[in-house]
Amino acid sequence: FVSYAKYVALNFKPAYMALGVEMNLYYGKNKDDIESFASLYAEAYDAVKAISPDTQVTVTFQYEDLQGILPTEDKHESNWPLLAVFEAKLDVMAISTYPSFAFKTAAAIPDKYYSQLRAFTDRPIVIADMGYSSAAGAQGINDGSEAEQAAFVKRVLLEAQTLRMPFIIWFAGWDPAYARDTPFGVFQHIGLRREDD
């Protein structure tokens, strides 16, 4: 893990590097391992910075799950304290966010939805991946529409500007064909364009 992080830093000198993805979901399945992973992450962080000091290193957190509002089988309370496990070695606070999993409409998303992160970090906030469904998805999740998706896009861009986010990334430009009739069906309509463009 550390060797590969060093390889990427040396050969690509990326502007940003995430060394762990949706760490709260990892924690949900590996509670006994999170401290070990955090230690490994800290070692990799230091190694990357020694090679490429300008690379902004981070891990990501799944935002709706972090708040305890993701409708999953293993429902839980918010786990904001998990941020502190990594805070000392985060250059940016990176999240993935799919609010259509938790809210029926874009208007139902609370005001300052992303701004509440300011209570937990003073790091720049980035959205490493996001989406909002443009149609009803699988498993009764994502009761979205194209109008709701458009409303979310406008809203998230305004909040990103207010928070001066260095970047935001939409997960899929097109609705992913692989998502149909799979466990990933919740992502079937997450793109900004339908499969047929």
Side-chain angles (χ1 to χ4, degrees):
F1 181 84
V2 175
S3 294
Y4 188 70
K6 289 166 67 174
Y7 170 85
V8 171
L10 179 66
N11 289 288
F12 299 102
K13 302 228 184 313
Y16 295 89
M17 185 186 303
L19 295 175
V21 176
E22 298 183 336
M23 295 312 304
N24 47 318
L25 298 181
Y26 179 81
Y27 173 75
K29 303 284 186 200
N30 304 281
K31 286 181 178 52
D32 295 337
D33 190 53
I34 198 68
E35 293 295 334
S36 294
F37 183 85
S39 176
L40 180 63
Y41 167 77
E43 182 182 343
Y45 175 97
D46 291 342
V48 167
K49 294 303 243 183
I51 294 168
S52 182
D54 293 334
T55 296
Q56 301 293 288
V57 184
T58 193
V59 296
T60 73
F61 299 92
Q62 204 301 311
Y63 197 53
E64 286 71 35
D65 182 76
L66 193 64
Q67 298 173 75
I69 61 172
L70 195 63
T72 59
E73 292 175 9
D74 52 342
K75 192 83 170 135
H76 59 81
E77 297 296 316
S78 66
N79 50 15
W80 294 110
L82 187 59
L83 299 177
V85 173
F86 296 93
E87 177 73 15
K89 294 206 182 252
L90 289 180
D91 295 326
V92 296
M93 174 58 66
I95 60 169
S96 65
T97 181
Y98 295 89
S100 60
F101 292 177
F103 300 99
K104 294 286 185 190
T105 65
I109 301 168
D111 290 341
K112 300 183 179 178
Y113 186 61
Y114 300 107
S115 300
Q116 67 183 321
L117 272 169
R118 280 284 162 246
F120 303 96
T121 185
D122 61 357
R123 306 292 197 276
I125 297 168
V126 300
I127 298 177
D129 65 281
M130 71 174 164
Y132 196 100
S133 190
S134 64
Q139 301 146 359
I141 300 174
N142 280 352
D143 292 331
S145 68
E146 290 181 9
E148 290 298 329
Q149 185 184 67
F152 172 71
V153 169
K154 288 178 187 173
R155 187 226 165 103
V156 75
L157 290 175
L158 286 173
E159 199 161 353
Q161 185 176 22
T162 300
L163 287 169
R164 299 179 183 206
M165 291 184 185
F167 66 85
I168 60 174
I169 298 172
W170 195 270
F171 174 68
W174 285 264
D175 288 342
Y178 71 80
R180 276 181 275 131
D181 304 318
T182 73
F184 300 103
V186 295
F187 293 104
Q188 183 176 352
H189 303 290
I190 213 76
L192 291 173
R193 293 175 178 265
R194 294 188 212 121
E195 284 181 65
D196 64 2
D197 207 28

